């Protein structure tokens, strides 16, 4: 069979789902960059969430198996990078019980980030071997149990992590642009993965596991592969979070972040990259508006403040409404459609 | 479009399957040759689908052996059997409803050393062959029933089978569409070089298409032979009459 060069139409249609999302994101970020510093920080935080949610999507979206355990990979990533790139002068004071090969070493933050992703990926591979035999509620509970294990080990291993207190001194290199580049990178990886042969096989198993096995898909192996890729991307999210705030803490990578990342994915639609991206953007905007309401809005001499906790209530409510009225999420699990006007402009035939 | 492997026969040797205490298949021996279309018939509950599940690795056996030529395949998992050239369709079709028709068929290349782009090109060729090229971009879940069954067959063909097991391919098909389905199945054997096992209730299709018919009832073989010989077999008549009375 001869390999055939793709036509312009195929090429444009092929990259459209990724390109459209990337353009939307870049425009939004450019607008935020013109705003006040507070807005830029909110947008940076949202982009870090985007890295986590798209990473989560690589596994959950393609395999259709829910994971409540992905915060463990943020934790492994955040702490893994901190061990490597926190300056020795901080480690010697704040973390003086670290083993010498970490305590006396200081690596480039980029190298630390890569190593941290590999660290999380290795754990995902090992735990994936047994966990990826599970589906449905079993997988949800199994992955959550894994998160609990990782949490307890990090919270309890004082010498390595500082226990339940924060591990400080992480070099702060994450700003709006670093977060944007990371988000675009993660989206690219997710899109390449979902359009690969393995990604298609996995999405087939999501639709019908028995039929996928009948056409030669080793579902277990495909799930492990996506679990590892997904864990590495999510770990990058943990690394970014730590190097945005300058600190990592075990509670930062536990129930709260698990809930919010799943809410973002579910609200956007678990079945598509567009769902992961749009869900993160929409939820981030809603969450920020609710947070400002909590802080109070000045109306003349009056300050109206909503009760604290409104943000969590709002998100939980939004997730319930979506699950009830639009279970496939805002995007319905589809990628953004190729607009007809663009096809006409490029001289492509309509389909 | 010939399959790459050289297997000539697929079969079961004295296979028994039990659900609880009940035997769904009892000491069943069946053989399918690469160059034939074999009909598998029997009253409802005779064990026809169970046999397809055994041959495709979905159903473990309590006793007996599954084989292809001299290789024992008992206990192999479905994806391994697919890689060896055994493909099947499902009575309930089971398309990947949320994926496009093209993706459904391209996914059939999952276990084969075919690059992504080549898989799409070849999937399109198979869709053209089966008459659904124009619907390649449609979402599979939106297809009418007859098209659904054809996509199911196209998806199975994409795996490059040496043996194709069709579970009630004519179910839900209008009587006037049966002849075209029959000619398509005949062309599958000739053009894809694969042996076909057809489980079907439509006797016209079985009698017109199959070179040989294997009849089972209550999980046991009651007759094997030409369509005509089987039709005249008293035990076969008894089995079907018995069903009618029930």
């Amino acid at each position: 069979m001869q390999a055939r060069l793709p036509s312009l139409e195929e090429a444009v249609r092929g990259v459209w789902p990724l390109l459209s999302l990337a353009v939307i994101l870049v425009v939004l970020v450019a607008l935020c960059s013109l705003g006040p510093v507070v807005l830029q920080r909110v947008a940076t935080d949202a982009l870090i969430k985007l890295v986590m949610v798209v990473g989560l999507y690589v596994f959950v979206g393609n395999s259709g198996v829910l994971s409540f355990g992905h915060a463990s990979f943020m934790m492994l990533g955040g702490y893994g990078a901190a061990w490597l790139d926190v300056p020795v002068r901080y480690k010697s004071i704040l973390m003086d019980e670290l083993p010498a090969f970490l305590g006396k070493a200081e690596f480039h933050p980029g190298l630390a980030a890569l190593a941290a992703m590999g660290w999380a990926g290795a754990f995902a591979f090992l735990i994936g071997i047994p966990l990826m035999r599970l589906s449905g509620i079993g997988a949800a509970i199994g992955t959550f149990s894994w998160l609990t294990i990782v949490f307890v080990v990090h919270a309890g291993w004082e010498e390595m992590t500082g226990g339940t207190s924060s591990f400080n001194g992480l070099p702060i290199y994450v700003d709006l642009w670093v977060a944007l580049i990371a988000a675009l990178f993660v989206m690219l990886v997710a899109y390449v993965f979902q359009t690969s042969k393995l990604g298609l096989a996995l999405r087939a198993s999501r639709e019908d596991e028995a039929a996928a096995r009948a056409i030669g898909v080793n579902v277990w192996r495909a799930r492990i592969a996506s679990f590892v890729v997904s864990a590495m991307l999510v770990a990058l999210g943990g690394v970014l979070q730590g190097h945005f705030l300058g600190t990592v803490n075990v509670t930062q990578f536990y129930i709260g972040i698990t809930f919010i990342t799943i809410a973002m994915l579910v609200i956007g639609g678990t079945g598509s990259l567009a769902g992961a991206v749009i869900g993160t953007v929409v939820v981030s905007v809603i969450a920020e508006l609710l947070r400002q309401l909590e802080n109070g809005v000045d109306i003349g001499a009056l300050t109206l403040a909503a009760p604290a906790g409104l943000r969590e209530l709002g998100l939980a409510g939004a997730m319930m409404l979506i699950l009830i009225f639009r279970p496939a999420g805002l995007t319905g699990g589809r990628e953004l459609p190729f607009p007809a006007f663009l096809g006409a402009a490029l001289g492509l035939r309509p389909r | 479009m010939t399959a790459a492997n050289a297997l000539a026969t697929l079969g079961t040797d004295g296979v028994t399957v039990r659900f609880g205490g009940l035997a769904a298949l009892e000491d069943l021996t069946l053989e399918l040759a690469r160059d034939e279309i074999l009909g598998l018939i029997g009253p409802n509950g005779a064990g026809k689908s169970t046999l397809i599940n055994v041959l495709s690795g979905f159903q473990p056996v309590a006793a007996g052996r599954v084989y292809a030529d001299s290789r024992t395949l008992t206990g192999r998992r479905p994806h391994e059997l697919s890689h060896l050239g055994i493909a099947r369709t499902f009575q309930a079709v089971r398309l990947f409803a949320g994926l496009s028709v093209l993706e459904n068929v391209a996914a059939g290349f999952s276990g084969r050393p075919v690059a992504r782009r080549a898989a799409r090109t070849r999937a399109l060729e198979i869709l053209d062959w089966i008459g659904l090229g124009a619907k390649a971009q449609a979402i599979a879940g939106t297809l009418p029933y007859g098209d659904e069954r054809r996509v199911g067959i196209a998806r199975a063909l994409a795996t490059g089978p040496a043996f194709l097991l069709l579970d009630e391919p004519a179910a839900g098909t209008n009587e006037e569409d049966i002849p075209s389905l029959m000619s398509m199945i005949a062309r599958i054997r000739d053009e894809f070089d694969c042996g076909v096992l057809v489980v079907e209730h439509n006797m016209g299709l079985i009698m017109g298409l199959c070179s040989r018919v294997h009849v089972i009832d209550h999980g046991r073989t009651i007759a094997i032979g030409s369509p005509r010989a089987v039709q005249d077999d008293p035990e076969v008549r008894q089995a079907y009459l018995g069903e009618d009375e029930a």
Side-chain angles (χ1 to χ4, degrees), chain B residues 110-244:
Chain B
S110 292
R112 303 177 70 186
V114 176
R116 183 177 75 94
R117 192 173 297 283
R120 289 176 72 89
T121 310
R122 291 171 67 172
L124 267 176
E125 286 170 4
I126 295 174
L127 280 171
D128 282 337
W129 185 89
I130 218 159
L132 285 172
K135 295 196 175 173
Q137 301 300 331
I139 298 299
T142 65
L143 290 181
Y145 199 65
D147 288 351
E148 241 185 7
R149 295 211 162 259
R150 279 170 184 264
V151 175
I153 293 173
R155 180 175 70 181
L157 288 173
T159 65
F163 304 100
L164 177 62
L165 319 174
L166 298 174
D167 200 349
E168 300 201 14
T173 305
N174 297 327
E175 198 57 40
E176 64 264 27
D177 294 332
I178 298 287
S180 76
L181 179 66
M182 286 169 66
S183 74
M184 184 182 83
I185 295 172
R187 285 172 61 210
I188 286 173
R189 177 194 54 190
D190 299 339
E191 296 176 31
F192 287 84
D193 180 28
C194 80
V196 182
L197 177 76
V198 188
V199 167
E200 193 41 74
H201 284 295
N202 186 308
M203 282 306 142
L205 183 143
I206 291 286
M207 296 304 157
L209 191 61
C210 301
S211 39
R212 220 156 55 90
V213 179
H214 193 123
V215 192
I216 63 176
D217 188 24
H218 295 107
R220 295 168 178 274
T221 300
I222 56 173
I224 305 175
S226 70
R228 174 137 309 276
V230 160
Q231 251 178 329
D232 295 338
D233 187 291
E235 209 176 340
V236 174
R237 287 174 163 273
Q238 181 57 42
Y240 276 91
L241 287 175
E243 190 197 27
D244 286 345

Side-chain angles (χ1 to χ4, degrees), chain A residues 195 197 204 207-208 210 215-216, chain B residues 82-83 94 98 109 112 114 116:
Chain A
T195 51
K197 269 188 83 179
E207 298 292 319
D208 191 315
I215 57 165
Chain B
S82 167
H83 298 170
R94 309 189 75 137
F109 289 91
R112 303 177 70 186
V114 176
R116 183 177 75 94

Side-chain angles (χ1 to χ4, degrees), chain B residues 52-122:
Chain B
I52 284 194
N53 286 339
V54 166
L55 287 170
S56 55
F58 282 90
Q59 175 63 54
V61 299
R65 192 172 85 94
V66 181
Y67 65 89
D69 292 357
S70 57
R71 304 173 68 159
T72 297
L73 303 180
T74 320
R76 296 287 191 100
R77 289 174 296 168
H79 70 265
E80 297 175 301
L81 294 178
S82 167
H83 298 170
L84 286 171
I86 300 165
R88 66 167 295 174
T89 64
F90 294 88
Q91 215 173 318
V93 194
R94 309 189 75 137
L95 292 188
F96 307 128
L99 306 185
S100 73
V101 168
L102 178 59
E103 286 176 314
N104 266 269
V105 182
F109 289 91
S110 292
R112 303 177 70 186
V114 176
R116 183 177 75 94
R117 192 173 297 283
R120 289 176 72 89
T121 310
R122 291 171 67 172

